[in-house]
Structures are given as C-alpha cells and as structure tokens.
Amino acid sequence: VMYTSALSRGPCPTASTSASTSRVRARRIAPRRPSGDSQRATEASAAATSTFSALPVLHLPDEDCTPEEEEAFCVRLRDVCHTVGFFYVANHGITPKVTVDVLEASRAFFALPHDVKQGIANVNSPAFRGYVRLGAENTAGRPDWREQIEMGVEADAPGDETGAKADTAGVDADTAGDRPVYDVLVGPNQWPEESACPGFRRRVTAFLDDAASLSRRLMELLALSLDLPRDFFDDDFRGRPNVQAKIASCPSAPEGSPRASSFGVGAHTDSGYLSLLLQDDVGGLQVQNGDGEWIDARPIDGTLVVNLGEMLQLRTRGYYLATPHRVVSKASGAGSPSRLSVPYFWNPRLDAVIEPMESLPETLTWLRPEPEDVAETGLHGSGGNRLIGEYGFNALKSLARSHPEVMARHHPDLEVMRDGSVVRRAPRR
C-alpha cells in the first residue's frame, strides 16, 4: 500500500480524536532497499539490530515544524521502534512545573502513615484501582518490591452508568446484561482525602492530561513512520482510550531479602499501545536487548521514557517491538532513596479488536528476522504470554495476574489460565 503526500506546508496538524475525521494521507517515507555492497552491509548490520547498549534520545519536533522536519523525525522513529522499541523523548511539551509537581505529590503521598494509604487500598476496588501496598503486586508470580496507586478512566462501576457516563466508560448501557468479563475494569478511581494530601489529585491530573495530549501526537507520528495515514490508529480509540496510570515508589531492597524482592518490577511487556514514563533521578529501569542483556535506562533530565506495547507489536505484525523491561531495586543502605516514577499507558478502548495488518506498506524493510509468531511472548512464567487481540481481555490479563488479592475478593467467578487469558469458572454441579 502506497500513500502520497497530501500534507500542506506550515504548522504540523494536531492529533485527531475522532474516528469520523477525514483521512489525511501520510507523506511517503522513502524505503531503504540497499543493493550491491550496501546490501551486504545491511545484511551484516541486521544481525546487530536489537543489540543496543543504550536507549536513543529522540527530539520531538515543535508543533509548528515543517513537513521536512516531521518526516525526518518519523524516519528516525521508525528505525528505533523497529530495532529497539524503547527511547527517550525530549522536547515533549510537558512543562517542568507539571513534572516536578506530580513527583512532589507522589512523594508526599508515600510519606503518609500506612493506615492512611490503606484507606484507599485497591482491594476495595473491583476495578483494581487504588493503593497497592509494598509486595502485594506480582509479576510472573514473584512479588514486586514497590508500592503504588493504580488509576484509570474515571467512570461509574458497571451497571451504574447512563448516557454520557456510559460513553466515557466505554460500555454500552443498553446491553448491560451481556457484558464481557473485562467490564470489571470499568469504575471510579480512589483518591486520598484533600486534607491528608493537599493538591494531590489536581497535580496528578494535570500530568495525566498533558500525557494524553502527548500520546495522541505520538500515535499520529507512529502512523506516519509506518507510511500510513496520520489517523490510521484512531478507530482503535474512538475518543475513549482505556488509559491507565500509576504513581510508584520502589524502595531499596531490604538486606538479605530473597531474589524475588530485588526487583521493583519483574520483567514484562506492557499490554497496550504506548507507554510513557516520568522517573526521578534514582534510576533502576532496565530494558532487554536482542542478546538478552539488560541495559540501564538511566534518567536523563527533561526527557520521558517511551516504549511500545503488545497491541502495537500485534498490529504491525511484529515490525514494531514491545520490548521486555524491569526495575531493579537499589542495594539497601542507610539513607538509600526510594525510586519515584509515574508510568502512563495509552491503551485502546476496551472493546477494540486489534488484528495484525494484512500486509505492511511496501516501503518498510525488515532489518531483523521477521518473527514467526507475533501474538505471544515468553514472559510471565512457564505459561507464556498470549497477546489477546480483543484489548479488554489483554488488559484484564495483566491486572488479574498481578493482583491476586483483588481477584480473590471481587472476582472469584473468574479464572486466569496459563497463557494469561481470563475466563468465567464453570458452575459447580
């Protein structure tokens, strides 16, 4: 499929949030099909792709950039997403005040007494929202050494929403009696009382709003980088993405702790399309390259870390990578600081069905072996990790595995299978 340029010169268009928006054709990005000596050089370098030793830094072009500046960025973006799947983004448009505010709000919350934090514990939420105490979450069956607040789209619990609230929740109120199991993910957030943590909700929400704007723009640029229309991915969201976010604190591992506690977060891939990460200066994030080596993603001032999720890998037939990553807890010691971070996940609407493209644009060249199976990864223990195209099931897979206490308390009728899929338990006879 080939697309010709229909972009006017001047300011770069902003992100479209409506599936009804007329399609804007992407400018063609010239293919890189080497011949002769350059072909042999490419074949030699292909073996080295995905064996990165550091994450690249991409500078997002200004909103009023020229078409040529946008195209140059998309060429670089394509290379990075095809061979790494992780990068830093600079010039991202979120002001230092907003990023400092959300980290300060996070630090203030985690400094509260334990019983105050437990007042919004996620075990009270069927939708997995709220505070998760240290060690209560797990990845691949091992406890994560972090505490956090889980957040999502603010909505009424299933069965309570009507009209516009039902649209916001991403569910059809007229078919409430025939809801899919992933509808358990719909519900309200839990916020600390203003008197306990002044300004927390306001400062966190300001960051989440700016992260949404950045995510919309990045999704457009990802489409252009694939030589596809600017709004190619819009239908997977339809103005109601299933956004998820956290504020997280990873303290240093206690001396003599088991190996399971040495990871703030175990190795995993993210379930959606796109993830953004704001981190403080402590460090600990690591990304796995194609050789299986763990590469430090050290904090770089003024940047966010961006990585691609399982749904984008599935949609692009594995051309773009959902790369495994983890957080390593720092060694314990007197005065060792906790690592603060704010992960943000730009995900499709819950009822979106994500399927691999029938074929990739002819302008794209594989610089690594084309994967035989793009719908599974080898993470999450011996059961594997199936990428489920109906996004709600893929999202529930991740949360159901990670929060067994919530599952036991609120969803005893659901069972997590070895490959991560969640099904209703057969009724007892």
Side-chain angles (χ1 to χ4, degrees):
V1 180
M2 307 290 282
Y3 295 101
T4 57
S5 174
L7 299 176
S8 59
R9 293 183 178 275
C12 297
T14 56
S16 167
T17 59
S18 171
S20 62
T21 304
S22 61
R23 286 190 176 269
V24 179
R25 295 298 182 185
R27 103 180 26 85
R28 177 180 173 180
I29 297 177
R32 298 165 299 165
R33 289 196 172 89
S35 60
D37 291 340
S38 61
Q39 172 69 44
R40 288 187 292 273
T42 297
E43 290 173 351
S45 65
T49 59
S50 299
T51 59
F52 54 90
S53 58
L55 298 189
V57 180
L58 302 187
H59 292 261
L60 194 68
D62 293 335
E63 290 281 358
D64 60 351
C65 66
T66 65
E68 291 77 15
E69 290 170 331
E70 184 178 74
E71 180 174 346
F73 177 83
C74 288
V75 169
R76 178 64 174 142
L77 180 64
R78 179 182 62 191
D79 288 345
V80 169
C81 293
H82 179 53
T83 59
V84 182
F86 250 90
F87 57 93
Y88 301 95
V89 63
N91 194 39
H92 47 69
I94 301 179
T95 66
K97 180 181 185 335
V98 170
T99 57
V100 168
D101 274 359
V102 71
L103 288 174
E104 287 184 347
S106 302
R107 188 172 291 107
F109 174 80
F110 291 120
L112 293 173
H114 179 70
D115 61 338
V116 176
K117 293 183 286 188
Q118 278 292 104
I120 59 168
N122 77 327
V123 293
N124 300 323
S125 168
F128 301 85
R129 311 287 178 84
Y131 173 69
V132 184
R133 73 183 187 281
L134 197 65
E137 185 183 30
N138 71 75
T139 302
R142 293 181 173 181
D144 293 330
W145 196 245
R146 68 173 172 181
E147 55 179 330
Q148 62 190 24
I149 294 181
E150 292 267 8
M151 296 168 280
V153 177
E154 196 74 59
D156 291 330
D160 296 340
E161 65 285 276
T162 58
K165 287 187 176 181
D167 292 337
T168 300
V171 298
D172 184 351
D174 295 330
T175 59
D178 188 28
R179 296 173 185 263
V181 294
Y182 56 70
D183 242 26
V184 300
L185 300 178
V186 177
N189 292 314
Q190 296 191 82
W191 299 95
E193 294 290 341
E194 179 68 15
S195 58
C197 201
F200 177 86
R201 183 169 182 172
R202 172 182 54 81
R203 291 190 285 179
V204 170
T205 300
F207 175 80
L208 301 185
D209 288 346
D210 286 354
S213 297
L214 174 60
S215 297
R216 291 188 184 97
R217 188 175 182 210
L218 286 172
M219 288 305 305
E220 285 196 335
L221 295 170
L222 285 165
L224 293 176
S225 74
L226 292 162
D227 206 9
L228 295 167
R230 182 183 291 275
D231 63 353
F232 180 80
F233 296 111
D234 282 6
D235 189 59
D236 295 337
F237 300 90
R238 290 186 188 166
R240 48 184 173 87
N242 183 56
V243 171
Q244 293 173 269
K246 309 170 189 267
I247 63 164
S249 174
C250 295
S252 56
E255 190 171 352
S257 62
R259 178 174 175 79
S261 295
S262 65
F263 296 108
V265 187
H268 66 284
T269 50
D270 294 340
S271 65
Y273 256 117
L274 184 71
S275 304
L276 310 178
L277 177 71
L278 172 66
Q279 56 180 339
D280 67 5
D281 58 0
V282 172
L285 176 65
Q286 294 184 328
V287 180
Q288 191 175 44
N289 69 15
D291 285 340
E293 301 168 333
W294 290 99
I295 307 302
D296 289 328
R298 295 182 176 87
I300 298 179
D301 190 43
T303 69
L304 299 177
V305 178
V306 180
N307 66 280
L308 310 182
E310 295 169 354
M311 293 297 96
L312 193 54
Q313 174 175 301
L314 184 65
R315 192 78 168 95
T316 63
R317 306 183 67 88
Y319 189 79
Y320 279 178
L321 291 171
T323 306
H325 50 286
R326 68 186 186 185
V327 175
V328 178
S329 297
K330 297 295 184 180
S332 61
S336 297
S338 296
R339 173 185 183 266
L340 287 177
S341 64
V342 186
Y344 179 88
F345 307 98
W346 186 252
N347 303 324
R349 53 191 167 84
L350 284 174
D351 61 352
V353 178
I354 310 302
E355 296 179 338
M357 298 182 223
E358 290 186 8
S359 61
L360 295 173
E362 295 177 359
T363 49
L364 303 182
T365 302
W366 285 89
L367 298 180
R368 53 180 170 77
E370 189 170 351
E372 295 181 3
D373 185 1
V374 301
E376 187 171 0
T377 71
L379 299 175
H380 301 279
S382 60
N385 182 47
R386 184 164 69 94
L387 310 191
I388 307 171
E390 190 167 355
Y391 177 68
F393 287 107
N394 209 55
L396 180 56
K397 169 194 73 177
S398 176
L399 288 165
R401 281 174 154 174
S402 297
H403 300 282
E405 291 181 352
V406 176
M407 289 292 289
R409 180 170 181 176
H410 295 285
H411 310 298
D413 59 321
L414 302 181
E415 181 179 4
V416 183
M417 309 304 287
R418 283 175 57 82
D419 65 355
S421 56
V422 180
V423 300
R424 295 194 189 280
R425 295 183 187 275
R428 292 182 178 179
R429 295 183 181 274

